[in-house]
Amino acid sequence: MQRDLQAALVRRVLAHLEGRTTDAAPAPSTIPVAAYADAARLERERARLFRDLPLAIGHASQLLAPGDFFTHDAAGVPLLAVRADDGAIAVYLNVCRHRGTRVEPAPCGQRKAFVCPYHRWVYDRRGRLLAATQMKGIGTFDLDEIRLPRLRTDVWKGFVFVCFDETAEPIAPRLEPLDELLRDYHLEDLRGSGLSDETIRA
């Protein structure tokens, strides 16, 4: 999308928010059921919106300290976002490399390490495999060569973006036209207050 069009759309949305208005069609209309129930259409939307483009999955305020994490499933791929010991935020596939079980079933929390509930494989905050039950001495199995797949991750104004396309442009240049419009909102300073795990997951 062209940057001037992006900026125009954001101004339009902000104007609606301020005026408590919305865009409306000039007259009532109907929408075919296929718009909601067509499987092929759903797959096209998933591929275009959730695979090719950076996807906002949460906010850095959910990951304040090393070991803080949250999981995300809304994109159709199980994700695990973690604040590492060096302060960086990383997003991994939340899938054990052994049998494909979700490594972390909880919606959010704090962990020193992540232990798969199926066979107790243990991964650290950098996605490295630390322990693998009953695998010692089996063939060429090597702990150091196994880790949770890490996805391209960007943080912009506090929002955590993940991108499944490693060749995609970083998020900051793409959203640069919005910097001036959003500067006074201090989005990077947002903090949750009194949110339960269920609220954050929803």
Side-chain angles (χ1 to χ4, degrees), residues 56-95:
I57 63 169
H59 195 270
S61 61
Q62 296 171 262
L63 306 169
L64 293 178
D68 286 353
F69 75 89
F70 65 82
T71 57
H72 181 91
D73 293 317
V77 177
L79 304 176
L80 172 63
V82 184
R83 176 78 72 171
D85 293 333
D86 62 2
I89 291 176
V91 178
Y92 304 97
L93 289 182
N94 188 18
V95 178

Side-chain angles (χ1 to χ4, degrees), residues 94-116:
N94 188 18
V95 178
C96 183
R97 299 301 303 276
H98 186 209
R99 298 296 185 193
T101 300
R102 277 174 171 75
V103 172
E104 178 53 63
C108 60
Q110 230 278 347
R111 297 276 188 267
K112 291 182 178 178
F114 297 92
V115 182
C116 177

Side-chain angles (χ1 to χ4, degrees), residues 35-74:
Y36 301 98
D38 183 75
R41 180 174 182 153
L42 174 61
E43 287 308 312
R44 288 196 305 271
E45 290 179 353
R46 282 178 173 166
R48 184 68 185 95
L49 299 177
F50 301 130
R51 297 294 180 269
D52 293 346
L53 300 174
L55 178 67
I57 63 169
H59 195 270
S61 61
Q62 296 171 262
L63 306 169
L64 293 178
D68 286 353
F69 75 89
F70 65 82
T71 57
H72 181 91
D73 293 317

Side-chain angles (χ1 to χ4, degrees), residues 21-187:
T21 58
T22 186
D23 286 324
S29 62
T30 60
I31 299 176
V33 173
Y36 301 98
D38 183 75
R41 180 174 182 153
L42 174 61
E43 287 308 312
R44 288 196 305 271
E45 290 179 353
R46 282 178 173 166
R48 184 68 185 95
L49 299 177
F50 301 130
R51 297 294 180 269
D52 293 346
L53 300 174
L55 178 67
I57 63 169
H59 195 270
S61 61
Q62 296 171 262
L63 306 169
L64 293 178
D68 286 353
F69 75 89
F70 65 82
T71 57
H72 181 91
D73 293 317
V77 177
L79 304 176
L80 172 63
V82 184
R83 176 78 72 171
D85 293 333
D86 62 2
I89 291 176
V91 178
Y92 304 97
L93 289 182
N94 188 18
V95 178
C96 183
R97 299 301 303 276
H98 186 209
R99 298 296 185 193
T101 300
R102 277 174 171 75
V103 172
E104 178 53 63
C108 60
Q110 230 278 347
R111 297 276 188 267
K112 291 182 178 178
F114 297 92
V115 182
C116 177
Y118 195 22
H119 292 110
R120 312 297 293 173
W121 281 31
V122 182
Y123 300 87
D124 69 9
R125 297 167 178 173
R126 295 175 59 188
R128 298 177 302 185
L129 183 62
L130 299 180
T133 306
Q134 299 179 346
M135 295 300 291
K136 186 176 181 180
I138 295 181
T140 58
F141 182 82
D142 186 352
L143 284 176
D144 295 332
E145 294 182 358
I146 300 175
R147 57 189 309 126
L148 296 176
R150 182 171 179 169
L151 300 175
R152 161 81 172 280
T153 307
D154 292 314
V155 179
W156 180 80
K157 293 193 178 300
F159 288 94
V160 180
F161 286 82
V162 66
C163 191
F164 296 96
D165 181 1
E166 290 291 333
T167 65
E169 180 185 357
I171 193 68
R174 299 176 73 148
L175 299 181
E176 185 179 354
L178 307 182
D179 285 343
E180 183 65 30
L181 291 169
L182 300 176
R183 180 172 290 119
D184 293 338
Y185 289 88
H186 305 289
L187 299 177

